[in-house]
Amino acid sequence: MYEGVVQDLIDELGRLPGIGPKSAQRIAFHLLATDPADIGRLQDVLGKVREGVQFCEICGNVSEQEKCRICRDSRRDTSLLCVVEEPKDVLAVERTREFRGRYHVLGGSLDPLSGVGPDQLRMRELLARLGAEEVSEVIIATDPNTEGEATATYLVRMLRDFPGLRVTRLASGLPMGGDLEFADELTLGRALSGRRAL
């Protein structure tokens, strides 16, 4: 263990997702050797992110305004709604250039073992949108893992009684246990265009 603030920095970096103790130590020592101006820019950006980024009041995507750029875009097809788990999944679908509708970000997936149920996700907001907007198809684009499949099943049961609403799921081809953000554009694009009705 290191002394004082160096160990504090390593500990805080280690709390970030995907950063283990060795990576946290490498990053900490990189920061110690970095020019003070670069550290200042990093501090400024971190402060701006915390103060300036919010979640879109409509879809839940990250935004610098009350509505994200996708919800503000009048060229988008409002009859198509793609339901994803996290804002990073919006970017993954957008990279395919196959989808021209709008999104709804749940803010996670069902995970009873971790205490995440429907009330912890943006399910009520989804139902409110479907009641207020003229949506003809909901595309469920949750991750192809246990939690994502459980969330998709819950959504299908919740949405099947909406009159005139078509509920679809991304086609197979995405590896089970993966995340949408790691799928290449071609595979995700094919899964989106080949979606199946549920």
Side-chain angles (χ1 to χ4, degrees):
M1 289 194 58
Y2 294 93
E3 291 184 14
V5 340
V6 172
Q7 188 60 46
D8 293 343
L9 177 61
I10 293 169
D11 292 343
E12 290 303 313
L13 291 169
R15 294 178 52 202
L16 296 171
I19 306 291
K22 291 286 186 190
S23 294
Q25 182 178 328
R26 275 193 299 276
I27 294 169
F29 280 99
H30 172 78
L31 292 172
L32 289 172
T34 299
D35 184 74
D38 292 339
I39 298 291
R41 281 195 302 278
L42 178 61
Q43 286 176 316
D44 290 344
V45 168
L46 289 173
K48 287 176 185 173
V49 164
R50 189 71 208 135
E51 294 169 11
V53 175
Q54 56 190 326
F55 293 98
C56 176
E57 64 184 17
I58 296 173
C59 71
N61 194 11
V62 291
S63 178
E64 290 184 346
Q65 300 175 21
E66 289 181 7
K67 293 180 184 176
C68 71
R69 67 175 175 76
I70 295 171
C71 288
R72 290 190 316 263
D73 188 348
S74 61
R75 297 170 297 178
R76 293 290 212 171
D77 184 350
T78 58
S79 69
L80 293 176
L81 190 65
C82 183
V83 179
V84 296
E85 293 177 19
E86 301 287 348
K88 63 184 176 5
D89 299 327
V90 171
L91 180 62
V93 175
E94 282 295 291
R95 281 194 326 249
T96 69
R97 301 179 197 267
E98 292 285 331
F99 183 69
R100 295 299 306 151
R102 298 210 172 153
Y103 294 91
H104 185 82
V105 180
L106 294 172
S109 58
L110 294 175
D111 188 2
L113 296 177
S114 299
V116 180
D119 292 337
Q120 284 72 47
L121 303 177
R122 299 183 69 251
M123 298 283 187
R124 282 188 298 277
E125 292 87 344
L126 175 60
L127 292 175
R129 283 184 79 180
L130 293 174
E133 299 175 15
E134 292 189 26
V135 176
S136 61
E137 181 180 0
V138 171
I139 303 165
I140 300 173
T142 54
D143 289 338
N145 56 28
T146 307
E147 294 84 6
E149 291 298 322
T151 305
T153 301
Y154 182 87
L155 287 169
V156 168
R157 289 183 180 152
M158 186 175 78
L159 301 176
R160 68 177 162 205
D161 295 329
F162 270 83
L165 182 65
R166 181 174 181 230
V167 180
T168 58
R169 179 88 167 110
L170 292 182
S172 56
L174 295 171
M176 186 63 177
D179 287 343
L180 289 184
E181 71 173 310
F182 299 123
D184 65 276
E185 290 87 358
L186 184 61
T187 301
L188 187 54
R190 286 181 179 160
L192 187 61
S193 62
R195 60 189 179 271
R196 63 194 194 290
L198 299 174

